[in-house]
Amino acid sequence: MTAPDPAGTTPPTAGPPPGEDHPPGRPRFTFPSALTVLVLVTLVVWTVAFFIPSGTYTRNAAGAPVQGTYHRTPSGLTFLDRLGDLFLSPVNGLYGIKDPKTGQVGPDLTGDLYGSAGVFLFVLAIGAFITVVFATGALDRGIGRLAHRLRDRGALLIAGIMTVFSLLGTFEGFAEETLGFYGLIVPLMLALGFDRLVATGTIILGAGVGVLCSTVNPFATGVASSAADISLGDGIALRFAMWLVLTAVTIAYVIRYACRVRAVPERSLCGFLPGDRDHAQTTADAQEPPPLTPLHKTVLVTVALVFAFMIFSVIPWAGALTGHADAAPYAFELGWSFPQLAALFLVASVLVGLLARMPEPRLSATVVQGAADFVSPALVIVLAPPLHLAPPGPPLPPDLRVRGGGRGGDLTTGRPPAGRCERRRAGTATREGGGTGPACGASGAQPSSSYAGRVRKSA
């Protein structure tokens, strides 16, 4: 088994049934790639911004908007200014800086880091790590043996993974942190005879339904309870019942589709890429893969420890256990976000290569190749934030704003974003990760470093 193509650059094999030719003279419609869709949506939003009036709220001393004070405000931008914003939107999507006073985003401003540079590097680091692990042969062998043992119990595996993600989502808002698991779950689901949509649904829907039913999630229910001046325990029984029902329904929905695709691959909604089904363990008489060597076991244990440490490092334990988003962090909390996780997986890539006794040239080439394979999904992440930047000028009414990744902080609460990047034009040093800014939570205190990268979940 080889590492799956994460970018999906190879067209899937799904299409008209064999023997059914496409009508001559009519070109077959091919849905555009994610990059093209994002560019088109950005152009549409940029055009619509010319016709939707912009506006803002009057803010109090803490920086929060005052209810009922929304009023229209002219943007003061010419057509060339708007065109320049559109031209720089991909750059700003990577490392744009948001001015807290004007709301403008640009590469040379002073303020909050708005772009997705941290997530971009995190995706590349994940690509490098997974590719190095595959190069050792350990992940192929491990997935093959696990798929062979679970070839008749794939539904149980899906239910287990989705339950874990749902629990993490309902307890502490575990959502974007699941990015690191695609490299493991996609090849595992393919080995079990499922398609990529099953892998994606297992991750996204599992974590998403947990966040949707946030029972004690301090960044959703905790903040709302604090704002309403009620206990976090109010309504928890109803939320828990909702979590049980919706999680069970979601798991059943994914398993139903997975079983249908495994029985009749032609019914897949996304199709299969070449090689996806080469090693699928779908029959009872499938030959058992060779046993794991000591090196394979060492690498697999290292992979498990890296992902377990990743989960530990991003969980705000004080907030998750107390239910208060602004709770003082425990001494053992790390409060890591995407920049630290990117560094973690880069270091882990080198560690796995050393454990596998890879020569330096091969290890370097494998890291570069892995990052290159993940450039396409990383670019999708870069092009998503420009949807916020397309309507230039003061913020639009809250019900008309286009919202996506939300890496620039919350405009309605005044809470600071995940990272802080203050740049000085005079050539002085650049400082990142300070955590200064408007009030965070009801107290108006600055967020602790433990919650850098997590406060945006309180929106």
Side-chain angles (χ1 to χ4, degrees):
M1 180 184 296
T2 58
D5 174 19
T9 54
T10 307
T13 58
E20 182 180 333
D21 296 330
H22 191 73
R26 293 181 57 187
R28 177 183 301 174
F29 172 76
T30 302
F31 196 83
S33 66
L35 295 175
T36 303
V37 170
L38 286 173
V39 171
L40 293 177
V41 173
T42 301
L43 290 174
V44 170
V45 175
W46 180 78
T47 304
V48 171
F50 283 92
F51 305 100
I52 300 179
S54 58
T56 187
Y57 285 93
T58 301
R59 297 181 178 272
N60 58 25
V66 179
Q67 184 177 2
T69 61
Y70 175 79
H71 57 280
R72 294 183 177 181
T73 306
S75 65
L77 298 178
T78 66
F79 176 79
L80 292 179
D81 293 332
R82 294 171 181 261
L83 190 62
D85 285 340
L86 177 65
F87 180 70
L88 285 177
S89 60
V91 176
N92 291 330
L94 182 61
Y95 63 89
I97 306 299
K98 182 177 181 180
D99 190 319
K101 296 181 179 179
T102 65
Q104 294 293 311
V105 178
D108 300 321
L109 300 179
T110 300
D112 302 329
L113 177 61
Y114 181 89
S116 304
V119 188
F120 179 82
L121 292 175
F122 172 70
V123 172
L124 298 186
I126 283 288
F129 176 71
I130 293 298
T131 304
V132 170
V133 174
F134 267 109
T136 66
L139 199 55
D140 312 60
R141 189 76 58 85
I143 289 176
R145 292 188 62 82
L146 181 61
H148 180 77
R149 291 189 177 185
L150 298 176
R151 60 190 181 278
D152 298 323
R153 292 173 289 174
L156 182 62
L157 178 65
I158 294 175
I161 294 175
M162 293 186 68
T163 300
V164 171
F165 282 160
S166 183
L167 284 171
L168 291 172
T170 195
F171 286 156
E172 61 94 20
F174 196 79
E176 64 270 27
E177 295 87 351
T178 58
L179 279 173
F181 291 91
Y182 284 90
L184 294 178
I185 295 180
V186 169
L188 176 58
M189 293 301 170
L190 292 177
L192 289 171
F194 304 128
D195 63 6
R196 294 166 185 263
L197 192 57
V198 173
T200 303
T202 299
I203 299 173
I204 292 182
L205 296 182
V209 72
V211 176
L212 176 66
C213 307
S214 296
T215 52
V216 293
N217 178 8
F219 305 102
T221 311
V223 171
S225 300
S226 177
D229 196 22
I230 61 176
S231 170
L232 181 64
D234 288 358
I236 192 171
L238 181 60
R239 294 195 300 273
F240 181 73
M242 182 173 66
W243 175 80
L244 282 178
V245 173
L246 293 186
T247 299
V249 170
T250 304
I251 291 175
Y253 177 79
V254 174
I255 290 177
R256 175 178 175 271
Y257 172 78
C259 294
R260 183 179 66 181
V261 169
R262 191 178 189 187
V264 185
E266 291 74 15
R267 301 186 68 180
S268 170
L269 296 178
C270 64
F272 293 88
L273 301 180
D276 277 358
R277 297 183 56 80
D278 289 351
H279 300 277
Q281 300 282 343
T282 57
T283 60
D285 57 350
Q287 184 178 2
E288 183 176 2
L292 296 173
T293 65
L295 175 61
H296 291 159
K297 294 179 181 179
T298 302
V299 171
L300 291 178
V301 169
T302 303
V303 171
L305 291 177
V306 168
F307 277 93
F309 182 77
M310 181 195 76
I311 295 175
F312 170 82
S313 67
V314 300
I315 292 180
W317 294 99
L321 296 179
T322 64
H324 299 288
D326 55 352
Y330 297 136
F332 61 82
E333 285 188 40
L334 296 178
W336 281 12
S337 188
F338 289 111
Q340 293 88 348
L341 295 180
L344 169 66
F345 280 101
L346 286 176
V347 172
S349 302
V350 176
L351 176 61
V352 170
L354 294 177
L355 291 175
R357 301 182 183 88
M358 284 187 181
E360 186 277 331
R362 184 190 175 197
L363 176 58
S364 300
T366 305
V367 169
V368 172
Q369 181 61 47
D373 289 342
F374 278 65
V375 165
S376 181
L379 288 178
V380 171
I381 294 174
V382 170
L383 289 179
L387 291 177
H388 298 253
L389 309 179
L396 293 170
D399 55 336
L400 295 177
R401 285 200 303 261
V402 177
R403 305 212 38 168
R407 307 187 208 291
D410 183 63
L411 297 177
T412 59
T413 64
R415 288 185 173 83
R420 180 79 175 178
C421 179
E422 297 182 356
R423 297 185 177 185
R424 300 180 180 178
R425 299 174 183 266
T428 55
T430 298
R431 180 171 65 88
E432 296 189 357
T436 60
C440 179
S443 65
Q446 293 180 354
S448 65
S449 59
S450 171
Y451 287 92
R454 301 291 307 190
V455 292
R456 71 181 185 84
K457 282 181 173 260
S458 61

